[in-house]
Amino acid sequence: MRSLSYILFAVRSLRAHLMRSMLAVIGIIIGIAAVSVVVALAEGARAEVSRQIASLGSNLLLVQPGAQVTQGVRRPAGSSLSLTAGDAVAVAREVPEVVIAAPFVGDQETVISGDTNWSTLLAGVTPNFFDARGWTPAEGQLFRTEQVASAAKVAVIGRTLARELFHGGEALGQFVRIGRTSYAVIGVLAEKGQDFTGRDQDDVMFIPLSSAKKFTIGRAQANPDAVHTILVKTESADTMGEAGSWISRVLRQRHKIAEGKPDDFRVQNLVQIAHTRDKTYRQFTLLVSALAGISLLVGGIGVMNIMLIAVSERTNEIGVRLVVGACPADIRRQFLLEAILLCGIGGLLGLATGYVGARVIPLALGWPVEFNEAMAVIALACSTLIGIAFGFLPAERAARLEPSVALRHSG
Amino acid sequence: MKPLVVLDRIFKEHRLGGQAVQALARVSMEIHRGEFVAVTGPSGSGKSTLLSILGCLDRPSRGDYLLDGEKILQLPRRRLAELRNRRIGFVFQSFNLLPDLTALENVGLPLFYRHERLRNAAARARMALEQVGLSGRTDHSPAQLSGGEQQRVAIARAIVNDPDLLLADEPTGALDTATRDMILALLVKLNRIGLTVLLVTHDSEVAAHAQRTIRLRDGQIVGDSGMAIGQRHSISLEAVR
Ligand SMILES: Nc1ncnc2c1ncn2[C@@H]1O[C@H](COP(=O)(O)OP(=O)(O)O)[C@@H](O)[C@H]1O
Ligand SMILES: [Mg+2]
């Protein structure tokens, strides 16, 4: 009851000086809004990365043609065509830790259905590619080994492509055309979302590797037998390193690379790459958070400034309160409470602003954002702490006033 | 009967930019319960300083102040606040009401600081406003009240805690004569029902309402009309020391 009246007192005097209170609080609003937006972005990015890491599938290595890193310059993947389907077979056969080695060719192609066309990633794979990724069809089925052997004109497409070509209509059984070759859609994959590079994994069309070589991608290549990637699944996470070096050894031997010469391929651990990105992102977040924190600090100083002005303007009021029996602790509590309330209100408004920002940013910029309750509680706790920290000095100054001195200020 | 107030050779120096101003010098007096005392003297003679010390707003530089037998000089600020709250009512020339509070809340303020429950406090504040004839103005803010009404609210605030001593520093200084007389009549009425009143004024008509007048000049008592038995007693005591 008593504390309630103290709060009411504080609310009233803040209301009585509304303009000043608003000005004092703006810094806190901006600070809290900035902090909460940054944290929401960071949380969103982290959630996205862990979703992507999960979507990468476990224990996957990526073998791609081209040197690892030459003098700091990384050549684009697939720029040389040193890998073949035979390499994939050899890796699977000769490296015991490898469970699956799936060859892959891919290129951006225009897919046509009726009078609709859409540019998508055309990928030529073998059925074990789907096994390696753990992908299953949402509708229809995947193609089988026999269909690869016979270079069948069948396709398994991603959700985005299905949507763009058939506008929500039935995709199964439809024919899609690339160049002069038509493929029957026999399966639609379950939705995957973006991969860790931000690419839409559902904007894709899979056809048998042999068909791709025979009708599209292979025809344009100097070496029709070349593949762009070999996706390798190892038996466990622990053996990935060992599998990697064995793969290198096997491939060097097959490519007849002399001792001391660099590899003409590279073996990458996708999860590791994603983690590295995550770490970089986290450091960036920390930096931006620190900047946002500084703006919060500036807001706190603003509140302290306004409270100091309030104390000197309301010296007579303090005197009157002392005359009727307020003790120094009462005065201290009053001004501290006002500062806390001011910052608390600022925190709430800042949080609301941040929330709106967190809603708008994904729409405007397409960045993932995650806004949760724990963050809201932390932001409010932060602003309250700022109120205590920066309200302390003004409150102390008010509490130190001698009644007779305070009263001599005409109010 | 034990005196309510005993001042024994009180000195008070104010510091003003490194310079000491002697506001009170060797002031001794006793005030008994139920007295109505006027303090007069020219401007700057130390009347307000005397009231600040009596009201526990300020401490003397030297000398003893006994309020109902309790030595004030060494008390901590907390205890002084408690004394101001429970034993003393203060009325000023400039009313000193809080502008953001209603009349009722202004009157209830001392009760708030003694942790009185809200409903109790409201009832007591209402009673005090009734005593000063302002029951119809409880929810007005000070700005909506006339000077006389504001001073009556201030008096209600001063008496709401049932104090031992009412200190009034030129309470009618800012009021016209009709209002002045009304405020004076109110103070006299409160004195009749047992309240000890000490009133600073340089208006001789106001002083005439008091039973006893103390005259100050340059921080010293130069006259005391009510040389009552207690007063002579204290002087003789001083002689013995
Ligand atoms: N807080 C103070 N600081 C410095 N000088 C003061 C202070 N209060 C009063 N004085 C000085 O002390 C003297 C007595 O003042 P005061 O008690 O206000 O007299 P009165 O009320 O009789 O006019 C004056 O000279 C005044 O200037
Ligand atoms: Mg004066």
Side-chain angles (χ1 to χ4, degrees), chain B residues 97-104 106 137-146 150 153:
Chain B
L97 299 176
L98 297 189
D100 299 333
L101 303 188
T102 65
L104 189 73
N106 265 291
R137 297 279 192 277
T138 48
D139 296 327
H140 287 54
S141 77
Q144 295 171 310
L145 299 172
S146 72
Q150 287 189 56
V153 172

Side-chain angles (χ1 to χ4, degrees), chain B residues 50-77:
Chain B
L50 176 64
L51 241 62
S52 291
I53 286 171
L54 286 172
C56 303
L57 295 175
D58 216 344
R59 281 181 246 241
S61 310
R62 251 184 310 147
D64 274 336
Y65 170 22
L66 291 153
L67 176 63
D68 204 14
E70 186 168 7
K71 267 198 179 187
I72 299 305
L73 197 58
Q74 300 94 338
L75 292 179
R77 275 155 48 102

Side-chain angles (χ1 to χ4, degrees), chain A residues 95-403:
Chain A
V95 182
E97 289 86 356
V98 170
V99 182
I100 300 168
F104 172 104
V105 295
D107 200 3
Q108 201 70 20
E109 295 279 356
T110 301
V111 187
I112 301 161
S113 163
D115 52 7
T116 311
N117 61 56
W118 184 256
S119 172
T120 194
L121 174 68
L122 177 72
V125 296
T126 50
N128 62 3
F129 178 86
F130 299 111
D131 296 337
R133 302 301 314 255
W135 286 355
T136 52
E139 296 167 36
Q141 60 205 67
L142 306 172
F143 41 80
R144 299 181 308 276
T145 313
E146 307 92 78
Q147 287 167 307
V148 176
S150 65
K153 296 172 182 171
V154 292
V156 173
I157 63 177
R159 267 273 174 249
T160 304
L161 182 61
R163 197 170 47 239
E164 294 298 338
L165 288 181
F166 307 114
H167 312 292
E170 179 66 40
L172 291 183
Q174 301 274 7
F175 283 87
V176 295
R177 191 158 59 77
I178 292 176
R180 278 188 304 235
T181 316
S182 284
Y183 298 84
V185 177
I186 60 165
V188 177
L189 289 167
E191 189 133 6
K192 309 281 177 263
Q194 297 179 347
D195 69 8
F196 69 97
T197 63
R199 207 185 58 77
D200 179 5
Q201 297 184 96
D202 301 308
D203 190 1
V204 67
M205 170 165 154
F206 288 102
I207 57 176
L209 181 68
S210 50
S211 310
K213 284 179 177 169
K214 191 165 168 188
F215 305 121
T216 59
I217 300 170
R219 286 153 54 99
Q221 283 178 181
N223 172 11
D225 209 26
V227 298
H228 301 157
T229 301
I230 298 171
L231 188 66
V232 175
K233 186 177 173 72
T234 63
E235 59 187 9
S236 75
D238 305 333
T239 54
M240 286 179 88
E242 192 148 336
S245 45
W246 271 109
I247 290 167
S248 295
R249 226 171 292 176
V250 168
L251 290 180
R252 282 181 73 89
Q253 203 168 35
R254 280 179 62 85
H255 296 182
K256 302 188 171 61
I257 297 170
E259 192 86 23
K261 292 272 161 113
D263 295 345
D264 61 352
F265 57 87
R266 50 205 161 94
V267 182
Q268 291 175 304
N269 183 337
L270 289 182
V271 174
Q272 211 165 39
I273 293 171
H275 277 303
T276 307
R277 267 169 198 263
D278 185 34
K279 209 168 133 192
T280 315
Y281 200 86
R282 229 177 265 200
Q283 283 162 349
F284 178 70
T285 303
L286 210 66
L287 185 76
V288 180
S289 299
L291 289 176
I294 288 172
S295 77
L296 206 52
L297 207 69
V298 172
I301 292 170
V303 166
M304 179 159 79
N305 201 2
I306 294 285
M307 288 309 295
L308 282 173
I309 293 172
V311 169
S312 75
E313 255 185 25
R314 285 157 62 189
T315 301
N316 183 259
E317 175 196 323
I318 295 166
V320 171
R321 289 180 184 273
L322 288 169
V323 165
V324 301
C327 60
D330 289 320
I331 301 294
R332 183 183 300 118
R333 189 174 323 168
Q334 179 186 343
F335 281 91
L336 204 54
L337 203 64
E338 277 185 32
I340 291 171
L341 211 64
L342 209 54
C343 290
I345 290 168
L348 271 177
L349 292 177
L351 209 57
T353 312
Y355 182 76
V356 170
R359 284 279 133 130
V360 170
I361 284 173
L363 299 178
L365 302 172
W367 296 347
V369 167
E370 203 119 310
F371 199 91
N372 58 40
E373 294 86 20
M375 254 173 55
V377 170
I378 290 170
L380 281 184
C382 265
S383 56
T384 308
L385 277 178
I386 286 171
I388 294 173
F390 289 94
F392 185 79
L393 183 77
E396 201 51 40
R397 184 170 288 187
R400 291 255 167 93
L401 282 169
E402 287 292 335

Side-chain angles (χ1 to χ4, degrees), chain A residues 1-2 5-6 9 12 16 316-317 320-328 330 399-404 407, chain B residues 52 56-58 77-78 81-82 84-85 90 92 96 98 100-102 105 109-110 112-113 115 118 157 161:
Chain A
M1 200 67 214
R2 187 165 141 78
S5 336
Y6 271 105
F9 268 138
R12 287 166 79 153
N316 183 259
E317 175 196 323
V320 171
R321 289 180 184 273
L322 288 169
V323 165
V324 301
C327 60
D330 289 320
R400 291 255 167 93
L401 282 169
E402 287 292 335
S404 59
L407 267 182
Chain B
S52 291
C56 303
L57 295 175
D58 216 344
R77 275 155 48 102
R78 217 190 137 67
E82 202 176 311
R84 288 195 296 273
N85 184 262
F90 233 115
F92 302 90
N96 274 334
L98 297 189
D100 299 333
L101 303 188
T102 65
E105 289 164 337
L109 205 57
F112 170 74
Y113 284 119
H115 314 339
L118 220 55
R157 182 179 65 190
N161 255 343

